[in-house]
């Protein structure tokens, strides 16, 4: 049993968004590896919740419920007796949040407030919020809403009087292979014989597997002191390298010659960055480096509790460079292939056909902003 497993053993743990990519993996790992006493999964996706319950029917300690983070009263009832909360429920698609910003606010910001209120009322011990790289210097609604979620978690920790939950956030980059991510899109484009579409050949991204993302979230529940944002250290890739590796590997499987599949550069989209940021310049001044993570400490310390921000195996308390993909060495194509293979991201999938493109508002208008 790992140290984290010993910490979580026999505890009552609740996961919001338990049917999402990260939430579903959290459920799987917590049941299989961490011997939690009870696992409560909440989601508002009825069909996926039904399937999740069927997949985990062998675990008598797993219970799944329809719930929405917008419903504060429902959260308060379900949080009773819970010790650890992993808050993974969110709207994550940039395009849809741009189209419906008020909906993004309801779930990604007010939903976090509801989680905080319910946790305080129920006397939960620790609450971990899953954030996104897009929260750093945000250029879109989704990223801005996730940044507000982080700030609410930090504020909840710094303004809480007396005993109560310890709040913190985790921040990570692209979970390769997740729904709506670039790998299933490239896969479908290759299956159809191309072209494979890139927004920019110089675009770089941090990458991680779903298991790594889950490990970050679970590790943080024991590392947390209060109000921090934990940032995982991740490899960096060029998206063009990803496209070329996938073409070489997958084209023959779909009956194509790799040389016949063209890569087409279609230009960056509104709100899209050429590089990915996981830590801003301002945050470096209050960051501690650990072997696997950076811990970004709160800008404003707790008003009512004296918190000691000391961690095991601290490397340095002085971090000079913002952590963004433009500053980091990218994987070469051989190492990228190994990463994809090791994490079974090139394996055959039984999922239904994935769309071969991502639609962005305004695409059908050719970029025009006014009527002729």
């Amino acid at each position: 049993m790992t140290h984290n497993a010993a910490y979580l053993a026999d505890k009552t743990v609740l996961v919001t968004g338990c049917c999402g990519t990260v939430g579903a993996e959290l459920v799987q790992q917590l049941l299989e590896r961490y011997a939690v006493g009870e696992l409560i999964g909440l989601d508002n996706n009825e069909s996926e919740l039904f399937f999740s319950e069927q997949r985990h029917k062998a675990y008598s300690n797993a219970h799944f419920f329809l719930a929405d983070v917008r419903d504060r009263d429902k959260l308060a009832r379900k949080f009773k007796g819970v010790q650890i909360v992993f808050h993974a429920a969110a709207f994550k698609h940039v395009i849809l949040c741009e189209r419906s910003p008020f909906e993004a606010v309801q779930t990604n910001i007010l939903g976090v407030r509801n989680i905080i209120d319910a946790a305080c009322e129920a006397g939960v011990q620790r609450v971990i919020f899953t954030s996104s790289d897009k929260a750093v210097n945000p250029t879109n609604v989704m990223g801005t809403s996730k940044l507000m979620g982080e700030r609410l978690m930090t504020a909840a920790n710094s303004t809480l009087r007396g005993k109560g939950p310890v709040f913190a956030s985790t921040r990570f980059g692209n979970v390769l292979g997740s729904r709506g991510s670039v790998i299933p899109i490239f896969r479908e484009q290759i299956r159809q014989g191309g072209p494979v579409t890139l927004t920019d050949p110089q675009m770089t991204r941090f990458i991680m597997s779903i298991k790594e993302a889950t490990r970050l979230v679970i590790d943080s529940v024991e590392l947390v002191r209060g109000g921090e944002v934990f940032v995982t250290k991740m490899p960096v890739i060029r998206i063009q390298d990803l496209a070329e590796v996938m073409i070489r590997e997958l084209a023959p499987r779909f009956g194509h010659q790799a040389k016949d599949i063209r890569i087409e550069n279609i230009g960056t989209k509104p709100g899209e960055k050429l590089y990915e940021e996981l830590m801003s310049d301002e945050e470096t001044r209050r960051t501690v480096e650990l072997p696997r993570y950076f811990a970004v400490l709160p800008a404003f310390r707790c008003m009512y509790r004296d918190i000691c921000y000391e961690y095991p195996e601290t490397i340095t308390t002085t971090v000079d460079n913002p952590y963004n993909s433009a500053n980091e060495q990218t994987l070469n194509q051989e190492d990228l292939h190994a990463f994809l293979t090791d994490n079974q991201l090139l394996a055959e999938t039984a999922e239904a056909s994935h769309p071969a493109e991502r639609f962005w508002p305004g695409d059908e208008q050719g970029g025009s902003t006014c009527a002729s």
Side-chain angles (χ1 to χ4, degrees), residues 44 54 75 77 108 114 150 205 224 227 255 338 356 365:
N44 64 0
Q54 298 304 304
L75 293 177
R77 292 194 296 273
N108 292 4
N114 291 339
E150 289 184 4
R205 289 292 183 265
V224 61
Q365 300 167 2

Side-chain angles (χ1 to χ4, degrees), residues 203-334:
M203 184 172 287
T204 58
R205 289 292 183 265
F206 290 103
I207 60 167
M208 66 191 315
S209 69
I210 182 57
K211 292 189 182 300
E212 289 173 312
T214 305
R215 184 180 67 181
L216 164 67
V217 176
I218 294 176
D219 278 357
S220 64
V221 79
E222 189 171 8
L223 286 171
V224 61
R225 301 294 182 261
E228 310 100 314
V229 178
F230 289 100
V231 178
T232 192
K233 296 178 180 179
M234 291 175 284
V236 175
I237 64 166
R238 284 196 321 144
I239 299 300
Q240 177 152 340
D241 287 333
L242 175 64
E244 291 175 357
V245 168
M246 289 187 66
I247 289 170
R248 285 200 302 271
E249 180 71 20
L250 297 181
R253 299 186 194 177
F254 296 128
H256 305 297
Q257 295 285 333
K259 62 181 178 60
D260 295 332
I261 295 183
R262 182 170 54 89
I263 293 177
E264 179 182 343
N265 297 320
I266 59 175
T268 56
K269 300 298 183 179
E272 189 174 36
K273 298 179 181 179
L274 285 179
Y275 56 89
E276 193 165 67
E277 299 175 278
L278 277 168
M279 187 194 306
S280 69
D281 183 62
E282 183 276 328
E283 288 175 328
T284 61
R285 301 196 294 269
R286 47 188 172 90
T287 294
V288 174
E289 184 177 359
L290 308 176
R292 292 179 178 174
Y293 314 104
F294 295 100
V296 181
L297 307 188
F300 300 96
R301 298 303 172 90
C302 185
M303 301 164 107
Y304 305 108
R305 291 179 287 182
D306 186 17
I307 300 175
C308 178
Y309 290 98
E310 292 184 358
Y311 305 92
E313 301 181 279
T314 297
I315 294 175
T316 181
T317 57
T318 304
V319 176
D320 297 322
N321 295 318
Y323 193 44
N324 70 62
S325 62
N327 295 339
E328 304 296 318
Q329 181 67 42
T330 59
L331 293 181
N332 60 40
Q333 291 195 5
E334 182 179 345

